[in-house]
Amino acid sequence: MLVLDAVRTRAALPWDGLVKALGDMFAKGCVMPVRHHHEVEVPGEADATLLLMPAWQPGAYVGVKMVSVFPGNQTRGLPAIHGSYLLSSGKTGELLAIVDGGELTARRTAAASALAARYLAREDASRLLVVGTGRLSTNLIEAHASVRPIRHVTIWGRDPNKAEATAKELDLEGVEVSVASDLEAAAREADIISCATLSTEPLIRGGWLKPGAHLDLVGAFKPSMRESDDEAVSHASIFVDTREGALGEGGDIVQPLRAGVITEDAIRADLFELTRGSHRGRTASGEITLFKSVGAALEDLAGAVLAFEASRA
């Protein structure tokens, strides 16, 4: 049985291979039961949460991501969130690998955005704005740069110091990196805007998006959260990772739907349809496209299989 820590998981998931693996998995499909959500009692502290996200390819692989959230860990100087991915044989049930859940999740999330950008961002997109300074920000920059000719990266965060620190982490050859103090000005210049925040109020306004822009919304994974306003959603061609996930959890879709700003028909396609050729994605150079992702167990399975097979080779 392989045990892949964060370093080994990262090394086993290069962007080109991971984006391809996700595309292949969406095109082929797999079984994805509804994820399990359990409250776990912790005596003397706030309840913890256990999340189980299974998926499998019949006869090939069975996987489940296990994530625990223990709020009381902040008093112990420990991370509140821990995650691992268990990959087993789809023929015998034998446990094949344990993969670091945090690294797997960060990279597959960014790779899904890059996969969507292959269909939705202009081929000549060179200016990328990343909104947010968390773990995902550097992953999103690297992933987008693997599928589009990114030459200018701008980072915006509520805390300028964190934005500066994120900029210093990057080492992309031929890419100019800067920190934005004016979000609107940076957004108006960007070919691709990628948001990964926990915002509950819109950050990106539709009026800021230039013709041909691509808006990638990764954060706001609850119906109460949001990164874009009604104008952005109503003026863009909307695409999602999975319809079920976006319609149930993505605040950037759920809120305008409830308000009557858009209908479900506004969603042009999901990644299943894009990878299978049912929809071509971007149809005009001046079209504004929007991609909303909330994550899917399929993506974890694709990444875990790739990491296992690459490490075994």
Side-chain angles (χ1 to χ4, degrees), residues 19 27 39 76 113 153 161 171-172 177 186 201 215 250 259 282 284:
V19 172
E39 296 298 319
R76 290 180 280 269
S113 286
V153 171
N161 293 326
D171 184 22
L172 295 174
V177 181
E201 299 292 336
L215 180 57
R282 172 177 290 273

Side-chain angles (χ1 to χ4, degrees), residues 35 199 217-228 233 238 240-258 262 267 290 292-295:
R35 73 179 183 182
S199 180
L217 302 175
V218 181
F221 53 84
K222 295 180 180 179
S224 59
M225 303 166 73
R226 197 163 183 189
E227 295 178 314
S228 63
V233 175
I238 301 172
V240 298
D241 55 351
T242 67
R243 290 178 185 269
E244 181 180 8
L247 291 171
E249 302 176 36
D252 288 283
I253 304 298
V254 172
Q255 290 186 36
L257 274 173
R258 290 175 178 173
I262 61 171
I267 298 176
L290 182 155
K292 176 59 192 164
S293 69
V294 295

Side-chain angles (χ1 to χ4, degrees), residues 88-301:
S88 301
S89 167
K91 293 181 179 179
T92 67
E94 174 190 6
L95 184 61
L96 302 174
I98 300 176
V99 183
D100 182 83
E103 193 66 27
L104 173 63
T105 301
R107 292 185 79 82
R108 65 81 159 156
T109 301
S113 286
L115 175 62
R118 278 187 167 174
Y119 297 95
L120 305 178
R122 286 173 53 120
E123 292 188 3
D124 61 353
S126 63
R127 304 188 72 91
L128 170 65
L129 167 63
V130 170
V131 180
T133 57
R135 181 178 190 172
L136 267 175
S137 57
T138 53
N139 284 282
L140 285 165
I141 292 167
E142 293 173 357
H144 280 298
S146 75
V147 299
R148 286 295 181 264
I150 303 299
R151 293 292 175 265
H152 305 275
V153 171
T154 304
I155 301 168
W156 181 90
R158 296 186 190 277
D159 184 340
N161 293 326
K162 290 184 178 180
E164 290 283 359
T166 300
K168 291 179 181 178
E169 290 180 28
L170 293 170
D171 184 22
L172 295 174
E173 185 176 353
V175 178
E176 176 187 343
V177 181
S178 62
V179 172
S181 57
D182 186 332
L183 179 57
E184 178 180 350
R188 288 184 179 277
E189 294 182 354
D191 300 314
I192 300 174
I193 302 172
S194 187
C195 300
T197 73
L198 300 177
S199 180
T200 57
E201 299 292 336
L203 294 169
I204 300 298
R205 308 287 173 177
W208 300 351
L209 303 175
K210 68 180 184 180
H214 172 56
L215 180 57
D216 174 41
L217 302 175
V218 181
F221 53 84
K222 295 180 180 179
S224 59
M225 303 166 73
R226 197 163 183 189
E227 295 178 314
S228 63
D229 68 355
D230 285 346
E231 185 177 0
V233 175
S234 60
H235 288 180
S237 298
I238 301 172
F239 299 83
V240 298
D241 55 351
T242 67
R243 290 178 185 269
E244 181 180 8
L247 291 171
E249 302 176 36
D252 288 283
I253 304 298
V254 172
Q255 290 186 36
L257 274 173
R258 290 175 178 173
V261 175
I262 61 171
T263 65
E264 291 188 17
D265 292 340
I267 298 176
R268 304 289 179 88
D270 58 20
L271 283 178
F272 292 105
E273 295 163 307
L274 288 172
T275 56
R276 294 169 184 176
S278 301
H279 194 291
R280 60 181 290 190
R282 172 177 290 273
T283 58
S285 61
E287 181 181 11
I288 295 174
T289 54
L290 182 155
F291 175 68
K292 176 59 192 164
S293 69
V294 295
L298 174 155
E299 299 164 11
D300 294 310
L301 178 62

Side-chain angles (χ1 to χ4, degrees), residues 15-27 115 298 302-303 306:
W15 294 116
D16 55 348
L18 183 55
V19 172
K20 181 181 184 302
L22 262 64
D24 291 344
M25 187 69 81
F26 271 105
L115 175 62
L298 174 155
L306 175 63

